[in-house]
Amino acid sequence: MLSVLIICQKIDENLIRSVQSIEALHPQILIGVSDTNISLGLRKNTLIRQSTHDWVLVLDSDEVVSVELLHEIKTILQINLTEVRGYRIPYQNYAFGGVLRYGGEKYAKIRLFRKKFGQISIVPIHEEIDVVGQISKLSNVIIHNSYRSTSQLLTKFTKYAWQVAGEKRKSHERVTLKKLFMYGPHMVWARAIKDQGWRDGWRGIVIALCFGYMETLTYWFLLWRNFIGS
């Protein structure tokens, strides 16, 4: 009844935890190793085509299905409402072992859908699942351990900044002094103050600073890519 798709960079403890969190449903599990030359959207769409069940759940290797969500998905598969073609699932994000509740870290994404009505957008990062038809929302969460250490976070955000800069170059976005020097600090303010990331303590402040770093680096990378023509 259910196919679970996971893209990973390597087989590690995070992937094992992700698989273990869903195996009680006895799903078909399809695991793909990411290729830096192929967008995640394309890779995931390939796995969708290879899946054999009506319902598809897409996870990243740093995501775990909570026990409560597992039971909720089981109920959905049993009821099998024909009018609903996809479900948004709330995320509970963690940083450095602690829960994040503010700073833009509370959101839901479409992750469970009927195979024939869904596909994944082809973008370099933060691809989304597009579903044709009625979307509902589940109550329980995917546990997301995206921010595991400062070094891991900075490495990830540096990669993201380079990729986003490439997309901005393709769209011929201009570099301005405001973007180079003000967008980063504004991002820190938005996440730490406007969205109350400070209420998550030092974790919220560190995350806000790292997002500001990524925003600033994106435009310096764009300036560099425009200079070297790449």
Side-chain angles (χ1 to χ4, degrees):
M1 295 179 65
L2 177 68
S3 295
V4 178
L5 317 182
I6 305 175
I7 296 290
C8 65
Q9 293 184 346
K10 60 182 179 179
I11 307 299
D12 58 11
E13 292 181 357
N14 292 314
L15 175 64
I16 292 172
R17 282 193 291 268
S18 184
V19 171
Q20 288 176 337
S21 73
I22 199 69
E23 62 184 1
L25 294 178
H26 306 291
Q28 175 194 29
I29 297 177
L30 299 174
I31 297 174
V33 178
S34 63
D35 185 334
T36 55
N37 296 317
I38 302 175
S39 76
L40 285 176
L42 281 173
R43 192 71 186 88
K44 289 179 179 179
N45 281 331
T46 298
L47 292 184
I48 290 173
R49 289 192 296 270
Q50 293 173 353
S51 64
T52 59
H53 295 297
D54 181 35
W55 285 96
V56 173
L57 174 67
V58 177
L59 296 174
D60 289 339
S61 60
D62 58 1
E63 297 173 355
V64 170
V65 173
S66 65
V67 173
E68 296 80 6
L69 177 60
L70 182 75
H71 294 314
E72 193 172 11
I73 292 174
K74 183 178 180 180
T75 299
I76 286 170
L77 296 177
Q78 291 171 342
I79 296 174
N80 198 25
L81 296 174
T82 56
E83 67 273 17
V84 179
R85 296 177 178 176
Y87 290 91
R88 295 187 185 278
I89 301 178
Y91 272 63
Q92 178 61 75
N93 290 318
Y94 281 74
F96 320 121
V99 176
L100 295 177
R101 296 184 174 88
Y102 303 93
E105 293 296 327
K106 298 291 284 186
Y107 52 81
K109 294 183 179 183
I110 299 174
R111 282 293 179 261
L112 179 65
F113 60 95
R114 291 184 183 275
K115 174 182 175 179
K116 63 181 178 180
F117 296 111
Q119 65 176 356
I120 298 176
S121 58
I122 310 302
V123 293
I125 60 173
H126 299 148
E127 67 286 347
E128 297 291 341
I129 298 171
D130 300 315
V131 172
V132 178
Q134 182 178 334
I135 305 297
S136 188
K137 185 178 178 180
L138 301 186
S139 301
N140 296 294
V141 302
I142 286 176
I143 299 169
H144 189 205
N145 292 290
S146 182
Y147 313 131
R148 297 185 293 277
S149 69
T150 304
S151 61
Q152 172 263 336
L153 184 55
L154 290 176
T155 298
K156 174 189 286 190
F157 279 10
T158 300
K159 177 183 175 182
Y160 284 176
W162 180 259
Q163 291 174 325
V164 173
E167 292 303 300
K168 290 182 179 295
R169 186 173 189 276
K170 289 178 184 177
S171 64
H172 306 288
E173 182 171 334
R174 294 181 58 202
V175 179
T176 65
L177 290 176
K178 181 179 180 180
K179 292 176 182 178
L180 289 173
F181 294 103
M182 297 302 297
Y183 275 26
H186 181 269
M187 175 65 75
V188 175
W189 173 85
R191 293 188 66 93
I193 306 301
K194 180 182 177 183
D195 295 333
Q196 302 183 56
W198 63 269
R199 297 183 68 176
D200 285 322
W202 66 269
R203 291 181 177 86
I205 299 300
V206 170
I207 295 300
L209 289 171
C210 287
F211 270 91
Y213 160 82
M214 179 174 63
E215 188 76 3
T216 297
L217 192 61
T218 294
Y219 289 100
W220 283 99
F221 275 158
L222 177 57
L223 182 66
W224 173 249
R225 297 187 78 142
N226 286 338
F227 177 74
I228 64 176
S230 172

